[in-house]
Amino acid sequence: MAPRYASSLRSLLAPLLLSLQTSFIVIYAFCTEVEHDVRVDGTTFSNFYAGTFQFFKAYFSISLAEFQDVNLMVILGFGFVCTFLVRYGFSGSGFNLLVAVIATQWAIILNGIESLYHRGKIRIDLRSLVVAELCAASALISIGAVMGKTNPVHLILIALLEVPTVKSIMLLHIFGAFFGLMLSWILYRKGSEQRFEKEKFDSKTGLFSMLGTLFLWMFWPSFNSVLVDDRTPGRKLGAVCSTYLALAVSAVTAAAVSVLSSPKGKLNLMHMQSCILAGGVAVGVSMSVIQQPWEAMTIGFTAAVVSTIGFRYLKVHMLLAFQCHDTRAILSTHGLPGLLGWLMHLILQIKDCDSHTVAIQFAVFHICALLITIALSLLMGIFTGLLLKGNFWRPPQDKKCFDDQAFWEFPHLAVRK
Amino acid sequence: MAPRYASSLRSLLAPLLLSLQTSFIVIYAFCTEVEHDVRVDGTTFSNFYAGTFQFFKAYFSISLAEFQDVNLMVILGFGFVCTFLVRYGFSGSGFNLLVAVIATQWAIILNGIESLYHRGKIRIDLRSLVVAELCAASALISIGAVMGKTNPVHLILIALLEVPTVKSIMLLHIFGAFFGLMLSWILYRKGSEQRFEKEKFDSKTGLFSMLGTLFLWMFWPSFNSVLVDDRTPGRKLGAVCSTYLALAVSAVTAAAVSVLSSPKGKLNLMHMQSCILAGGVAVGVSMSVIQQPWEAMTIGFTAAVVSTIGFRYLKVHMLLAFQCHDTRAILSTHGLPGLLGWLMHLILQIKDCDSHTVAIQFAVFHICALLITIALSLLMGIFTGLLLKGNFWRPPQDKKCFDDQAFWEFPHLAVRK
Amino acid sequence: MAPRYASSLRSLLAPLLLSLQTSFIVIYAFCTEVEHDVRVDGTTFSNFYAGTFQFFKAYFSISLAEFQDVNLMVILGFGFVCTFLVRYGFSGSGFNLLVAVIATQWAIILNGIESLYHRGKIRIDLRSLVVAELCAASALISIGAVMGKTNPVHLILIALLEVPTVKSIMLLHIFGAFFGLMLSWILYRKGSEQRFEKEKFDSKTGLFSMLGTLFLWMFWPSFNSVLVDDRTPGRKLGAVCSTYLALAVSAVTAAAVSVLSSPKGKLNLMHMQSCILAGGVAVGVSMSVIQQPWEAMTIGFTAAVVSTIGFRYLKVHMLLAFQCHDTRAILSTHGLPGLLGWLMHLILQIKDCDSHTVAIQFAVFHICALLITIALSLLMGIFTGLLLKGNFWRPPQDKKCFDDQAFWEFPHLAVRK
């Protein structure tokens, strides 16, 4: 039976949302301006500006179509990937939307602090929206690990605490994955080794999440290329082609490894959804050093192998040995392919270096960047987890986990049952 | 049990569709040309033309990607928003497609009458297609109010009668909402106070309509910016950013208000679907005077509050007190946010006026525009409703309302049951 | 009960996928380069190149948005169109993805052989990806005919054998349809006259395939225009408008004919999904000679009539008289409208010819092109079918046809039932 009253929502969620949103509006009122607000002083300057603007448009700016591609991934892709649970579809897609829009508004402010200091205003244009949505994606990855065992207040606080610590768009998958893993470790519930009754998919919810997955898969080339500097002609299109090939190889390889590792010799739908994206994640991390199609394809192949094997064996192991109950398997979907991409970046960059000194310098820098990212994500994950632990935030009871009825009105079902 | 024979379709729908479509083809044969049909007389003119054309392209024309965004909203967004009813999904999406394509073809002719008079031909290009689809959107909003209680013949006649009276793209939401409300009043069925047995959603149909809603939500920035004149650099992108922010604020606010107004303190899926769009509607109406992000965000906030409270309390009130059975709650989804946007437009414009005279002139003009729009929509709605009342058009029986089996073949179900 | 072990997947699919993918990576390593790999020798050349590149970009190249539109159709559109079977959704969308990415990688190699001979490398850019996806679409059409009665090994072999014989993008629908028809004839199973138990749709799977259909419908204008040469200004946009109008007319006409031909006077969902696309297929074939909107609309009208009548009567006839069990009705969806488009092309071209000699020359050439395409598709279809017949490839047993459980793990269902 559904709980009669969702105390966590009325007394916590609504005040949190309203106060957050009001604060954002006040901050935006004093600190931001949109691009169309340009004032030009005279004809000469106007012409000059127009020329600059054209140049700017051609090489640096982000088109409406690219913005929409990223928006599709963040809102629809990540949202519908979370609908695979048989009774958690409304929460999966609805909470994803809430977290995405709050994290995006928050990230715009945080990313603009420097510009606020220098120019007095944060400029909002398609580029700042896209960068903010990429930061939001990091939070959306993390909440996948604790999905179903938290209430929306938890999810929003996670996003608020995680977004300020995302420092590198390149490593956002690794950051998000380890952050989420620590959360799931701290927020571990006793008895999770036995599967929750409602933690499963059926033939229809599997198709809904297939839809979300395909949107992520199809628009990953835009995701990886959107921030590539297009001053060198073709650099951006090269990123699109490399990512497409890596994704294609991942899809084929994930299917093969899923069959080989299955006791019954069958395909697993969850593998076909998580692991076909591995190539996109790995190539995204190592994009800047990929020169040839076969490099992208090899990375896609290795990433899919690592990701599928990780999903098959590591997910259970993490639960039983480390008490990390990772609902959406973000370790094998985002973490492992991200690490692989980082390694490939290192290898390919060193191979291209002319002198040993440069190579060693790069290696040290590259390894430090990873270690700092992982250390930061582990620490912040543990900190956030500890903050969210406890009954103050009113987490759903064990038997209400993975159930929409804890949070959503079902007027007609109530009448029937 | 399903009716054995759908008399309304065989004897009314098929002849109506065939005669309409044949007439359209004949009218198009004599009155239209597509853009590629340009004939140039010589090299000089050709060069001159090419230059003009480039200029035209850069500043006024609509790109393929923008056309596809609007097309996605009209066909997929509005179509899948109508699939929330548990047994009415085929009709919801299928009839939406039928009405959309007929209304678009019809609107192209009506919008081109002036150009037909001056130049002898109606030119069909992406711009005329987009404008026609926006007019069609107005009809798609109206039919939301009578969805489930009408047959497709009704819906097509509504579209044919409504499209010619849409005079202002800016006020199309207000026009569509009041038109639809009058229809639902005139076509009111006795006994509607007690809920129809099949007028409900379940966990799967809720996700289908969530999908449609997210498509509307994601592409609303394109919807609002598609007709913005781009001669001032950045004006269009400013519209995109403002709409995105307003939609983000709406999503957060709608969730908060839905929880606060719920007796059980829970979220309501229908609110999360209708009311997150309120910001897009309101900002669309007041787009031309919005200068700052916070203005768009405040409008989004207010619109979501008004829309969610309207959905929670006004929908039942409209049914019981005014006998308007508004299936898709178009009054609170499109009507109220549209009115709010109109009011904000008035306030912001007056605030910016230098002299009192100009301000009063503008206010009078602005109020008249609204009153004429509402009067026209109410009158046309009542006229259309009276025309469609009666058994000549064979409306579905009460117990066949909200049921696909009245209109669609289910060969296998028939065998089973 | 589901089979305990999917022998066809473990021993055939996994080795096939891994060896194929490894070979592709090796071939790509030696033979391909991506566009960004351009090396310029000096400043002068670089500037020269930049100018050329701009020109190239403006007129010949394919934008990221156009690539994504085609990608959406091939991966999501064709994938979700195949989800209409009540228990075959995972296979429908998953196998479609597998076949699409393998066929695309294979087609890039095959289409680049000439360039490999001349320049030593195959260049991979958005254009080559799009052309390869169009070739893949031909294979995706064919496998629709044998869907549900084959395993993924069959489907991949079909794609590998079909893609090299696709010679004309223009006639790919006709080629795919006749190829698939021959496959379904050779792979005919005794007893198929009686419907398979699971070959049916329900109210939810019908909506999933409606979603796929709408994506095909919405992006068909991009599909038809993507390879149109844009050197004549407006030619591409003309193709978009013509295709849109033809699709709109098809939707209206298919609904009317579906109702008229129904014994109960009702609409049929499968007609509304297959036959609304007929106009897009037919106009795609005859695109180059269409000058006026009404020509496109008339073609759309006729194509929808032919397609709907073909679906209603021909599908059963093909099964009973010719033993072709065409699961997705590709003959009436792609074959008949394609032939009609071919005929319209012939008529319109001859009408425009100035002299009889030219007209006759064109007619002979045009008829020969069709006959060669059909002969090739029939022969290759029969050859492929014979190769795939027999128990070596371990086709699913009759009672496991149209059932996901033959290929996919259902851990939780297994526990329950």
Side-chain angles (χ1 to χ4, degrees), chain A residues 222 244 262 266-268, chain C residues 3 10 68 133 405 407 409:
Chain A
S222 302
Y244 178 83
S262 159
K266 291 185 182 179
L267 286 160
N268 184 299
Chain C
R10 174 70 66 88
Q68 289 292 18
E133 293 213 332
Q405 294 201 5
F407 302 116
E409 291 178 349

Side-chain angles (χ1 to χ4, degrees), chain B residues 7-297:
Chain B
S7 57
S8 62
L9 299 188
R10 173 71 64 90
S11 58
L12 293 175
L13 181 68
L16 175 68
L17 290 178
L18 288 179
S19 56
L20 258 182
Q21 194 53 69
T22 321
S23 323
F24 282 157
I25 296 180
V26 171
I27 297 173
Y28 275 64
F30 288 103
C31 306
T32 64
E33 59 184 4
V34 283
E35 206 183 338
H36 74 227
D37 213 39
V38 178
R39 299 267 178 260
V40 283
D41 299 57
T43 324
T44 330
F45 180 68
S46 170
N47 283 343
F48 170 77
Y49 175 78
T52 326
F53 185 78
Q54 288 308 104
F55 180 80
F56 183 82
K57 259 193 110 149
Y59 292 120
F60 295 93
S61 82
I62 283 165
S63 73
L64 179 53
E66 286 176 284
F67 165 68
Q68 289 292 17
D69 288 357
V70 173
N71 204 16
L72 257 173
M73 290 183 72
V74 168
I75 303 292
L76 190 76
F78 281 107
F80 268 75
V81 156
C82 296
T83 56
F84 70 95
L85 291 165
V86 71
R87 296 180 75 172
Y88 205 65
F90 296 175
S91 306
S93 55
F95 296 166
N96 182 81
L97 176 68
L98 270 187
V99 171
V101 294
I102 289 175
T104 305
Q105 293 181 69
W106 182 220
I108 289 174
I109 299 174
L110 295 168
N111 294 336
I113 282 179
E114 198 185 348
S115 129
L116 185 66
Y117 183 76
H118 289 299
R119 297 192 308 156
K121 285 281 179 188
I122 299 168
R123 169 155 302 180
I124 295 177
D125 52 19
L126 289 185
R127 188 179 182 84
S128 64
L129 279 183
V130 164
V131 172
E133 293 214 332
L134 294 181
C135 295
S138 183
L140 297 178
I141 291 168
S142 298
I143 64 174
V146 293
M147 199 177 84
K149 300 162 291 174
T150 43
N151 65 37
V153 181
H154 287 118
L155 303 181
I156 290 166
L157 292 174
I158 291 170
L160 291 179
L161 288 165
E162 180 170 359
V163 168
T165 32
V166 178
K167 288 294 166 228
S168 150
I169 295 289
M170 217 186 72
L171 297 176
L172 72 87
H173 294 284
I174 300 175
F175 187 90
F178 284 98
F179 189 101
L181 221 58
M182 284 303 104
L183 282 177
S184 76
W185 179 53
I186 301 283
L187 298 177
Y188 183 76
R189 286 159 185 257
K190 273 181 195 157
S192 294
E193 310 86 36
Q194 292 151 337
R195 192 176 275 282
F196 287 88
E197 185 200 339
K198 289 159 194 160
E199 193 186 2
K200 63 184 177 192
F201 65 93
D202 69 15
S203 65
K204 302 297 183 292
T205 55
L207 276 177
F208 278 115
S209 61
M210 191 70 182
L211 185 75
T213 307
L214 289 184
F215 269 101
L216 288 181
W217 192 92
M218 290 184 294
F219 291 102
W220 213 287
S222 302
F223 193 80
N224 277 354
S225 73
V226 70
L227 294 182
V228 168
D229 186 350
D230 205 18
R231 264 171 301 186
T232 320
R235 184 102 199 121
K236 198 166 217 165
L237 298 183
V240 170
C241 294
S242 302
T243 309
Y244 178 84
L245 287 172
L247 287 164
V249 176
S250 283
V252 176
T253 314
V257 178
S258 174
V259 166
L260 283 180
S261 65
S262 159
K264 290 186 174 176
K266 291 186 182 180
L267 286 160
N268 185 300
L269 188 72
M270 289 300 119
H271 299 174
M272 278 299 278
Q273 293 189 352
S274 300
C275 309
I276 62 174
L277 302 172
V281 174
V283 162
V285 176
S286 51
M287 182 57 74
S288 58
V289 291
I290 293 177
Q291 302 282 339
Q292 300 293 338
W294 71 269
E295 295 172 346
M297 292 170 84

Side-chain angles (χ1 to χ4, degrees), chain A residues 23-35:
Chain A
S23 324
F24 282 157
I25 294 179
V26 172
I27 297 174
Y28 276 64
F30 288 102
C31 306
T32 63
E33 59 183 6
V34 283
E35 205 183 339

Side-chain angles (χ1 to χ4, degrees), chain B residues 2-6 9-10 13-14 17-18 21-22 24-25 28-29 32-37 39 53-54 57 64-65 67-68 71-72 75-76 80 83 86 89-90 93-95 97-98 101-102 104-105 108 124-126 129 133 202 204-205 208 211 215 405-409 412 416, chain C residues 59 65-66 69 195 197 199-204 206-208 210-211 214-215 217-219 221-222 225 230 233-235 237-242 244-245 247-249 251-253 255-257 259-269 272 276 290-294 297-298 301 312:
Chain B
R4 299 213 166 273
Y5 189 79
L9 299 188
R10 173 71 64 90
L13 181 68
L17 290 178
L18 288 179
Q21 194 53 69
T22 321
F24 282 157
I25 296 180
Y28 275 64
T32 64
E33 59 184 4
V34 283
E35 206 183 338
H36 74 227
D37 213 39
R39 299 267 178 260
F53 185 78
Q54 288 308 104
K57 259 193 110 149
L64 179 53
F67 165 68
Q68 289 292 17
N71 204 16
L72 257 173
I75 303 292
L76 190 76
F80 268 75
T83 56
V86 71
F90 296 175
S93 55
F95 296 166
L97 176 68
L98 270 187
V101 294
I102 289 175
T104 305
Q105 293 181 69
I108 289 174
I124 295 177
D125 52 19
L126 289 185
L129 279 183
E133 293 214 332
D202 69 15
K204 302 297 183 292
T205 55
F208 278 115
L211 185 75
F215 269 101
Q405 293 200 7
F407 303 117
W408 299 84
E409 291 179 349
H412 314 306
R416 289 292 167 102
Chain C
Y59 292 120
E66 286 176 285
D69 288 357
R195 193 175 274 280
E197 185 199 339
E199 193 186 1
K200 63 185 176 191
F201 64 94
D202 69 15
S203 65
K204 302 296 183 294
L207 275 177
F208 278 115
M210 191 70 181
L211 185 75
L214 289 184
F215 269 100
W217 192 91
M218 289 184 294
F219 290 103
S222 301
S225 73
D230 205 19
R235 184 101 198 121
L237 299 184
V240 170
C241 295
S242 301
Y244 178 83
L245 288 172
L247 287 164
V249 175
V252 176
T253 314
V257 178
V259 166
L260 283 180
S261 65
S262 159
K264 288 185 174 176
K266 291 187 183 180
L267 285 160
N268 184 299
L269 187 72
M272 277 300 278
I276 62 173
I290 292 176
Q291 302 282 339
Q292 301 291 340
W294 71 269
M297 294 170 83
T298 312
F301 186 89
R312 179 75 75 181

Side-chain angles (χ1 to χ4, degrees), chain C residues 1 76 100 147 174 211 213 252 272 284 348 374 408:
Chain C
M1 212 186 68
L76 190 76
M147 199 176 85
I174 299 175
L211 185 75
T213 307
V252 176
M272 277 300 278
L348 288 171
I374 290 182
W408 299 83

Side-chain angles (χ1 to χ4, degrees), chain C residues 2-227:
Chain C
R4 298 211 167 275
Y5 188 80
S7 57
S8 62
L9 298 187
R10 174 70 66 88
S11 59
L12 292 174
L13 181 68
L16 175 67
L17 290 179
L18 289 179
S19 56
L20 258 182
Q21 194 54 67
T22 322
S23 322
F24 282 158
I25 295 180
V26 172
I27 296 174
Y28 276 64
F30 288 103
C31 306
T32 62
E33 58 183 7
V34 283
E35 206 184 337
H36 73 227
D37 213 39
V38 178
R39 300 269 178 259
V40 284
D41 298 58
T43 324
T44 330
F45 181 68
S46 172
N47 283 345
F48 171 76
Y49 175 77
T52 326
F53 185 78
Q54 287 309 101
F55 181 80
F56 183 81
K57 259 191 110 150
Y59 292 120
F60 294 93
S61 81
I62 284 165
S63 72
L64 179 53
E66 286 176 285
F67 165 68
Q68 289 292 18
D69 288 357
V70 172
N71 204 16
L72 257 174
M73 290 182 72
V74 168
I75 303 294
L76 190 76
F78 280 107
F80 268 75
V81 156
C82 296
T83 56
F84 69 95
L85 290 165
V86 71
R87 297 181 73 172
Y88 205 65
F90 296 176
S91 307
S93 56
F95 296 166
N96 182 81
L97 175 68
L98 270 187
V99 171
V101 294
I102 289 175
T104 304
Q105 292 182 68
W106 181 220
I108 289 173
I109 300 174
L110 294 168
N111 295 335
I113 282 178
E114 198 184 347
S115 128
L116 185 66
Y117 183 76
H118 289 301
R119 297 190 309 157
K121 286 279 180 190
I122 299 167
R123 171 155 299 182
I124 296 177
D125 52 18
L126 288 184
R127 188 179 183 82
S128 64
L129 279 183
V130 164
V131 172
E133 293 213 332
L134 294 181
C135 295
S138 181
L140 297 177
I141 291 167
S142 297
I143 64 175
V146 293
M147 199 176 85
K149 299 163 293 175
T150 42
N151 64 37
V153 180
H154 287 119
L155 303 181
I156 290 166
L157 292 175
I158 291 170
L160 291 179
L161 288 165
E162 180 170 359
V163 167
T165 31
V166 177
K167 289 293 166 226
S168 151
I169 295 290
M170 216 186 75
L171 297 176
L172 73 88
H173 293 283
I174 299 175
F175 187 89
F178 284 98
F179 190 100
L181 221 58
M182 285 302 105
L183 283 176
S184 76
W185 180 53
I186 301 283
L187 298 177
Y188 182 78
R189 287 161 185 255
K190 272 180 197 157
S192 294
E193 311 85 38
Q194 292 150 338
R195 193 175 274 280
F196 287 88
E197 185 199 339
K198 290 156 194 161
E199 193 186 1
K200 63 185 176 191
F201 64 94
D202 69 15
S203 65
K204 302 296 183 294
T205 55
L207 275 177
F208 278 115
S209 61
M210 191 70 181
L211 185 75
T213 307
L214 289 184
F215 269 100
L216 288 181
W217 192 91
M218 289 184 294
F219 290 103
W220 212 287
S222 301
F223 193 80
N224 277 353
S225 73
V226 70
L227 293 181

